[in-house]
Amino acid sequence: KLATLRPTMLPAGIGLGLARSSPSLYRPSIGPSPPSSARTSSTLPTRNAPRSAAPGATPTATPTASAAMPAFNDPSSQSNFPAVSVTHVDFDVDVDFSTKEIAGTVSLRVTVGDLAQDRLVLDTRGLNIEKCTVEGAEAAFSVQAEAHSVMGSALTVPLGREVPPGSSLVVAVTYRTSPSSSAVQWLRPEQTAGGGHPYL
């Protein structure tokens, strides 16, 4: 969940679905330095190869790549993964320790799954979404009006067209955190081991 995105959240708020490709969406460190960028990538998990049949057992057909796979359902997310998967994440954010706010843009490289898709749905919690773009063009977006008590508010970004299976494109989200961005925790200098600087 954007820089608050849980393993489905980015360092401050947007859950990208990447977390479910790799159990830890990654949590790039964000310190008191000037605007910085963090990149992470993930690949979808693969299934284990089928075991050899026991002696005397009746042979069974080996699944092929084209065999129908059961639908994936993540009960902890409102995103549309794996219909659209986030494969890379780039952050360009400012961290303000005086106001306890993170603001900036996260650029998401997304890939469409087995069927054409016309939207990307992300998990967010406690974020102020200011702008979304698809391949550099500003896009309309909507945030779930009534937040889920556990999963937050789904952010839906139309892709502007039916994007064919296997296609990749870049969706950028400009946002800022809020006091309710639960994925961000701020420590005062006296709460740290060194005692000289605040910590995020």
Side-chain angles (χ1 to χ4, degrees), residues 17-181:
L18 177 62
R20 288 168 299 293
S21 298
S22 172
S24 57
L25 194 190
Y26 35 49
R27 285 182 182 271
S29 300
I30 300 179
S33 54
S36 59
S37 174
R39 172 172 294 164
T40 183
S41 63
S42 170
T43 53
L44 293 174
T46 57
R47 291 176 175 270
N48 296 326
R51 298 180 179 179
S52 300
T58 302
T60 57
T62 300
T64 63
S66 60
M69 301 295 284
F72 179 91
N73 177 51
D74 185 346
S76 66
S77 172
Q78 299 184 90
S79 73
N80 62 342
F81 173 87
V84 182
S85 301
V86 175
T87 59
H88 293 81
V89 183
D90 287 292
F91 284 95
D92 182 3
V93 297
D94 290 320
V95 178
D96 190 330
F97 281 84
S98 63
T99 61
K100 296 183 178 180
E101 180 181 80
I102 298 174
T105 299
V106 58
S107 297
L108 313 174
R109 167 68 65 175
V110 303
T111 300
V112 175
D114 296 335
L115 300 174
Q117 300 294 324
D118 64 359
R119 70 196 61 195
L120 169 67
V121 183
L122 302 170
D123 291 307
T124 76
R125 178 183 291 279
L127 296 179
N128 297 313
I129 308 300
E130 299 177 347
K131 184 175 73 171
C132 295
T133 64
V134 176
E135 292 291 276
E138 191 159 348
F141 65 88
S142 61
V143 178
Q144 184 178 343
E146 187 172 341
H148 187 282
S149 60
V150 175
M151 296 183 283
S153 302
L155 167 63
T156 300
V157 183
L159 302 178
R161 60 189 174 90
E162 284 279 332
V163 181
S167 299
S168 293
L169 62 162
V170 174
V171 176
V173 181
T174 300
Y175 70 100
R176 64 182 58 246
T177 62
S178 70
S180 60
S181 298

Side-chain angles (χ1 to χ4, degrees), residues 2-21:
L2 272 187
T4 282
L5 302 177
R6 16 190 271 218
T8 289
M9 287 180 152
L10 298 185
I14 280 184
L16 309 180
L18 177 62
R20 288 168 299 293
S21 298

